[in-house]
Amino acid sequence: MATELETGLPSVRQLQMLIRDKQEVEIKLMTSDVITGKVQWQDVYCVCLSDLENQSIVIWRHAIAYLKPKT
Amino acid sequence: MATELETGLPSVRQLQMLIRDKQEVEIKLMTSDVITGKVQWQDVYCVCLSDLENQSIVIWRHAIAYLKPKT
Amino acid sequence: MATELETGLPSVRQLQMLIRDKQEVEIKLMTSDVITGKVQWQDVYCVCLSDLENQSIVIWRHAIAYLKPKT
Amino acid sequence: MATELETGLPSVRQLQMLIRDKQEVEIKLMTSDVITGKVQWQDVYCVCLSDLENQSIVIWRHAIAYLKPKT
Amino acid sequence: MATELETGLPSVRQLQMLIRDKQEVEIKLMTSDVITGKVQWQDVYCVCLSDLENQSIVIWRHAIAYLKPKT
Amino acid sequence: MATELETGLPSVRQLQMLIRDKQEVEIKLMTSDVITGKVQWQDVYCVCLSDLENQSIVIWRHAIAYLKPKT
């Protein structure tokens, strides 16, 4: 895996927009946990959310099943 | 993993046809969730569905068990 | 992962034979689902079955636990 | 992943010895299934067992948790 | 996967800061176990925690769902 | 994945020390099984334990969640 994010990819850009817009998201994990928060940053291995109490949660990409905007 | 989609591969072309035809599909995830919707885009990491309420769901490929047209 | 199938590998050839012989197979998934059907095609990412109602199911290789001929 | 087996690796050689000795083995899968049989062949993606009824089962390596000789 | 850690990546740096600050963390695993402790070291394959009894636990990265500071 | 072990990595060295010291370990698998024994060898794909009855168990690295010394 390249260690630089391919910023041209739709999935990478979608995450960048969610960071910029401070959009609340729901991430469903392979463990079936659902984590809600705002995306702080992404790199090739991880996506970092800050939850409602402003706590940072570093999520490994391999553990993510899906992501959707919180409605 | 190459970061460009190999458009010659049957699995990539099948998804491209489902996008073009706005065909409703069912995706079974490794978490055992089933997500129903129309495929909006794909890249090397993700497949994006829009569900019945037109909400976008970004699904990581590693989380997909199978996909079939909704009947 | 190379995006061309290594047709010299036993696992790839076994699948090619199952396609040619229209042999019915059982595929056990990591989700514990069992899918029965005939193999239509394979590429480096997926294996496609057609089930008893002739519906196509695209299965990601990472989701396959094992495959055996249906008896 | 190289598509040729590194025959110098202990794990590859152990499997080759099990094939040669027709040793019965137990393979525990990530699905928690246990499959018992004799190893027929291995390649970079799969390990093939023949079970007690001489049926071939192609197991993907990513689905294997562990392997031990049947006692 | 490169066998040297990319120290420029946010996820790698976050772990390095947690090591330096001896911050207690919670790691949720793909098995749904939660492990609590201080991060001792990281390499490309593993993250090592020392738990409350000062015991070392070597965790494989592929088994990590998420990590957050213990509150 | 390189097929030679990077002996400079902490996780590889830790395993080498456990082999040398014949230290009893506990390995928790992604299946939630716990296997106890002494580490016999490691290669890039597998870690081999010998259990209390001196039986060899070849464990695939992708199936390991964590390892800790048995106390």
Side-chain angles (χ1 to χ4, degrees):
Chain A
M1 186 188 276
T3 52
E4 278 191 43
L5 274 175
E6 297 283 326
T7 51
L9 293 177
S11 59
V12 173
R13 275 182 304 164
Q14 187 111 341
L15 274 162
Q16 294 298 44
M17 280 190 293
L18 292 167
I19 293 169
R20 189 195 64 197
D21 300 345
K22 299 181 166 55
Q23 165 73 51
E24 217 171 37
V25 298
E26 245 182 61
I27 292 183
K28 171 93 179 223
L29 300 183
M30 301 290 267
T31 52
S32 290
D33 292 298
V34 177
I35 297 184
T36 305
K38 292 177 181 166
V39 187
Q40 292 190 307
W41 51 260
Q42 61 171 324
D43 68 15
V44 280
Y45 300 122
C46 296
V47 170
C48 182
L49 289 201
S50 85
D51 68 12
L52 297 174
E53 293 91 37
N54 253 335
Q55 196 187 26
S56 288
I57 303 176
V58 181
I59 303 169
W60 266 259
R61 282 178 188 267
H62 59 239
I64 300 178
Y66 63 78
L67 172 152
K68 59 182 183 189
K70 180 126 173 77
T71 48
Chain B
M1 186 189 277
T3 51
E4 278 191 44
L5 274 175
E6 297 283 327
T7 50
L9 292 177
S11 59
V12 172
R13 275 182 304 164
Q14 187 112 340
L15 275 161
Q16 295 298 45
M17 280 189 294
L18 292 166
I19 293 169
R20 190 195 63 197
D21 300 345
K22 298 181 167 55
Q23 165 74 49
E24 216 170 38
V25 299
E26 244 182 61
I27 292 184
K28 170 93 180 222
L29 301 183
M30 301 291 267
T31 53
S32 289
D33 291 298
V34 178
I35 297 183
T36 305
K38 292 177 182 166
V39 188
Q40 292 188 309
W41 51 261
Q42 61 171 325
D43 68 14
V44 280
Y45 300 122
C46 297
V47 170
C48 181
L49 288 201
S50 86
D51 67 12
L52 296 175
E53 292 90 38
N54 252 335
Q55 195 186 26
S56 287
I57 303 174
V58 181
I59 303 169
W60 267 259
R61 282 177 187 267
H62 59 239
I64 301 178
Y66 63 79
L67 173 153
K68 59 182 182 188
K70 180 125 174 76
T71 48
Chain C
M1 185 190 278
T3 51
E4 278 192 43
L5 273 175
E6 297 284 327
T7 50
L9 292 177
S11 59
V12 173
R13 275 182 303 164
Q14 188 111 341
L15 275 161
Q16 295 299 44
M17 280 189 294
L18 293 166
I19 294 169
R20 189 195 61 197
D21 300 344
K22 299 180 166 56
Q23 165 74 50
E24 216 170 38
V25 299
E26 245 183 61
I27 292 184
K28 171 94 180 220
L29 301 183
M30 301 291 266
T31 53
S32 289
D33 291 298
V34 177
I35 297 184
T36 304
K38 292 177 182 168
V39 188
Q40 291 189 308
W41 51 261
Q42 61 172 324
D43 68 15
V44 280
Y45 300 122
C46 296
V47 171
C48 181
L49 288 201
S50 86
D51 67 12
L52 297 174
E53 293 90 38
N54 252 335
Q55 195 186 25
S56 287
I57 303 174
V58 180
I59 303 169
W60 268 259
R61 283 177 186 268
H62 59 238
I64 301 178
Y66 63 78
L67 173 152
K68 60 183 182 187
K70 180 125 174 75
T71 49
Chain D
M1 185 189 276
T3 51
E4 278 192 43
L5 274 174
E6 297 284 327
T7 50
L9 293 176
S11 59
V12 173
R13 275 183 302 165
Q14 188 111 341
L15 274 163
Q16 294 299 44
M17 280 191 292
L18 293 167
I19 294 170
R20 189 196 62 197
D21 299 345
K22 299 179 165 57
Q23 165 74 50
E24 216 170 39
V25 298
E26 246 183 61
I27 292 183
K28 171 94 180 218
L29 300 184
M30 302 290 266
T31 52
S32 290
D33 292 298
V34 178
I35 297 184
T36 305
K38 293 177 182 167
V39 188
Q40 291 189 307
W41 51 261
Q42 61 173 324
D43 67 16
V44 280
Y45 300 122
C46 297
V47 170
C48 182
L49 288 201
S50 86
D51 68 11
L52 297 174
E53 294 89 39
N54 253 334
Q55 196 187 24
S56 287
I57 303 175
V58 180
I59 303 169
W60 267 259
R61 283 177 186 268
H62 59 239
I64 300 178
Y66 64 77
L67 173 153
K68 61 182 182 188
K70 179 125 173 76
T71 48
Chain E
M1 186 188 275
T3 52
E4 277 191 44
L5 274 174
E6 297 283 328
T7 51
L9 292 176
S11 59
V12 173
R13 275 182 303 165
Q14 187 111 341
L15 274 163
Q16 294 299 42
M17 280 190 292
L18 292 168
I19 294 170
R20 189 196 62 197
D21 300 345
K22 298 181 167 56
Q23 165 72 50
E24 217 170 38
V25 298
E26 245 182 60
I27 292 183
K28 171 91 179 223
L29 301 184
M30 301 290 266
T31 52
S32 291
D33 292 298
V34 177
I35 298 185
T36 306
K38 293 177 180 165
V39 188
Q40 292 189 307
W41 51 261
Q42 62 172 323
D43 68 16
V44 280
Y45 299 122
C46 296
V47 171
C48 182
L49 288 201
S50 85
D51 68 13
L52 297 174
E53 294 91 38
N54 253 334
Q55 195 187 26
S56 288
I57 303 175
V58 180
I59 302 169
W60 266 259
R61 283 177 187 267
H62 59 240
I64 300 178
Y66 64 77
L67 173 153
K68 60 182 182 187
K70 179 125 174 76
T71 48
Chain F
M1 185 188 275
T3 51
E4 278 192 43
L5 274 173
E6 296 284 327
T7 51
L9 293 176
S11 59
V12 173
R13 275 183 302 165
Q14 188 112 341
L15 274 164
Q16 294 300 43
M17 280 191 292
L18 292 167
I19 294 170
R20 189 196 62 197
D21 300 345
K22 298 181 166 59
Q23 165 74 50
E24 215 169 39
V25 298
E26 245 183 61
I27 292 182
K28 171 92 179 221
L29 300 184
M30 302 289 267
T31 52
S32 290
D33 291 298
V34 178
I35 297 185
T36 305
K38 294 177 180 165
V39 188
Q40 292 189 308
W41 51 261
Q42 61 172 322
D43 67 17
V44 280
Y45 299 122
C46 296
V47 171
C48 181
L49 288 201
S50 86
D51 69 12
L52 297 174
E53 294 90 39
N54 253 334
Q55 195 187 26
S56 288
I57 302 176
V58 181
I59 302 169
W60 267 259
R61 283 177 187 269
H62 59 238
I64 300 179
Y66 64 78
L67 173 152
K68 61 182 182 187
K70 179 126 174 75
T71 48

